[in-house]
C-alpha cells in the first residue's frame, strides 16, 4: 500500500480577496499546512502532490467580457498563468513532490488533466501509477468543483479515495451537498 495526498487548487484567486473566492479558502490553506507541513503529516503520506488551475486561454471557461458568469460553466477570470492570483495561498506551506498544472487552453476541473510542471508529458494519473500509489486523500478547493472532479477521477482510476472535508471548502451549499452525494455514490470515502 502506498498513500498520496492530492492538494487541489489552493490558490489566491479561490481564497478571500481573489477573483473567484470560496468562503473559508484561507482557513483550508492553514488547515492543510497544519496537518501536513513539510513532513508529510509525520510520514502518513508517501507522496504529496498539488494541482493548480493554470489558465492561458481557456476559451469560454471565462465569461465573455461584458457578460455575467453563470458560475456553472462560465466564471470570472481566475488563475491566469503566472499572475499572483494563480499562486498558492501564502498560508499553504507544504513540501510537494510534484506540481500538476491544468487548464492552459481549456476548462479543467479534474487534477487528472494536470501535467507535471517540469515535464508536460507526465499526467497526474501516470505519476501516481508509476509510484505504485493505491490510496489517495484529496483536499483543497472547491469541494463542489475541482475537488469533486479530482476525487471522482481518482476513484475511476481504481484508487481507494478519501476526501478530507475539514480541509476543503465549497463555492455554494447546494452544489456542495450534491457533490457529496455524487462522491459517496462513486465509493469515495468522506471524512
Ligand atoms: C474551480 C471553478 C472554476 C475549482 C476552478 O478549482 O474548483 N472552480 N474553476
Amino acid at each position: 500500500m502506498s498513500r498520496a495526498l492530492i492538494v487541489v487548487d489552493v490558490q489566491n484567486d479561490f481564497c478571500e480577496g481573489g477573483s473567484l473566492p470560496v468562503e473559508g479558502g484561507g482557513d483550508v490553506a492553514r488547515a492543510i499546512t497544519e496537518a501536513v507541513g513539510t513532513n508529510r503529516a509525520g510520514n502518513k503520506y508517501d507522496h504529496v502532490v498539488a494541482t493548480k488551475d493554470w489558465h492561458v486561454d481557456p476559451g469560454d471557461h471565462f465569461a465573455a467580457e461584458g457578460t455575467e458568469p453563470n458560475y456553472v460553466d462560465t466564471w470570472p477570470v481566475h488563475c491566469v498563468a503566472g499572475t499572483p492570483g494563480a499562486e498558492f495561498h501564502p498560508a499553504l506551506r507544504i513540501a510537494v513532490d510534484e506540481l500538476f498544472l491544468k487548464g492552459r487552453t481549456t476548462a479543467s476541473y479534474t487534477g487528472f488533466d494536470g501535467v507535471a510542471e517540469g515535464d508536460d508529458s507526465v499526467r497526474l494519473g501516470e505519476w501516481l501509477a508509476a509510484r505504485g500509489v493505491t490510496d489517495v486523500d484529496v483536499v483543497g478547493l472547491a469541494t463542489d468543483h475541482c475537488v469533486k472532479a479530482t476525487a471522482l477521477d481518482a476513484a475511476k482510476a481504481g484508487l481507494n479515495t478519501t476526501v478530507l472535508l475539514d480541509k476543503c471548502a465549497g463555492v455554494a451549499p447546494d452544489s456542495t451537498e450534491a457533490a457529496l452525494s455524487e462522491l459517496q455514490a462513486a465509493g469515495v470515502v468522506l471524512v
Side-chain angles (χ1 to χ4, degrees):
M1 190 191 113
S2 171
R3 178 178 291 271
L5 178 71
I6 304 176
V7 180
V8 177
D9 297 5
V10 184
Q11 292 165 269
N12 284 322
D13 271 342
F14 295 134
C15 297
E16 294 83 352
S19 64
L20 178 41
V22 178
E23 208 182 308
D27 285 342
V28 165
R30 281 181 279 278
I32 295 170
T33 297
E34 224 167 83
V36 181
T38 51
N39 73 350
R40 299 187 169 99
N43 293 322
K44 180 171 175 205
Y45 297 105
D46 302 294
H47 309 283
V48 175
V49 299
T51 67
K52 275 186 175 176
D53 222 18
W54 195 252
H55 295 309
V56 177
D57 180 10
D60 57 12
H61 182 58
F62 289 167
E65 231 177 291
T67 69
E68 279 299 309
N70 64 15
Y71 293 88
V72 177
D73 53 20
T74 69
W75 304 91
V77 172
H78 61 274
C79 299
V80 173
T83 65
E87 291 306 310
F88 285 136
H89 187 282
L92 185 74
R93 289 190 298 274
I94 58 173
V96 299
D97 297 304
E98 189 57 85
L99 172 63
F100 292 86
L101 305 176
K102 61 186 179 61
R104 207 175 281 273
T105 58
T106 56
S108 176
Y109 296 99
T110 170
F112 283 75
D113 282 347
V115 296
E117 186 186 29
D119 181 351
D120 268 17
S121 70
V122 179
R123 284 173 179 269
L124 174 58
E126 297 159 1
W127 193 95
L128 295 171
R131 285 156 184 80
V133 171
T134 51
D135 294 59
V136 294
D137 287 354
V138 183
V139 297
L141 305 171
T143 317
D144 36 354
H145 299 286
C146 290
V147 168
K148 176 185 87 169
T150 302
L152 287 175
D153 273 356
K156 220 180 277 172
L159 298 163
N160 300 313
T161 305
T162 302
V163 174
L164 308 180
L165 293 174
D166 61 340
K167 296 172 192 66
C168 296
V171 173
D174 287 356
S175 48
T176 299
E177 274 306 304
L180 299 184
S181 304
E182 218 179 306
L183 287 164
Q184 244 161 355
V188 173
V189 176
L190 305 174
V191 297

